[in-house]
Amino acid sequence: HRLSESFLQKLWSLYTSAHYKNTPNDLQMLSDAPAHNVFVLLGPTAESSSNNNNKNNSNEGDQLPDILAIVQTSLEGKLSRKTIQ
């Protein structure tokens, strides 16, 4: 889907800007590894205009909000509650 691809491009652009060692293999690892999670904070979206029947601006609903922050988590190992405390 076009919006999914656009979102992944924005997400990966931020990743590579933040750390120069990222590769396309990292994106595959994130999508395949069940212990890895990615949480994304998105900016606000523009409210729909009062004239929703305006066909001249048909892409208005297809725009993604800006990505403000990304947090990647990885669950590793079995830690006991005693170790965590």
Side-chain angles (χ1 to χ4, degrees):
H1 189 269
R2 187 174 50 87
L3 285 175
S4 297
E5 288 180 21
S6 177
F7 177 76
L8 283 175
Q9 286 174 348
K10 287 182 176 187
L11 182 136
W12 207 247
S13 175
L14 189 56
Y15 258 74
T16 55
S17 295
H19 193 271
Y20 69 95
K21 291 185 178 182
N22 289 96
T23 69
N25 290 337
D26 296 336
L27 182 58
Q28 183 176 357
M29 185 263 315
L30 281 175
S31 63
D32 289 344
H36 285 259
N37 296 297
V38 176
F39 299 94
V40 180
L41 176 65
L42 299 175
T45 58
E47 293 294 324
S48 298
S49 65
S50 60
N51 185 4
N52 288 335
N53 295 327
N54 184 359
K55 301 297 180 190
N56 293 334
N57 198 2
S58 62
N59 290 335
E60 184 176 308
D62 289 347
Q63 294 192 4
L64 294 170
D66 291 331
I67 296 175
L68 303 178
I70 301 171
V71 175
Q72 177 185 350
T73 62
S74 176
L75 305 175
E76 296 181 352
K78 294 183 180 182
L79 299 175
S80 69
R81 289 202 182 272
K82 184 178 177 181
T83 302
I84 294 171
Q85 294 174 350

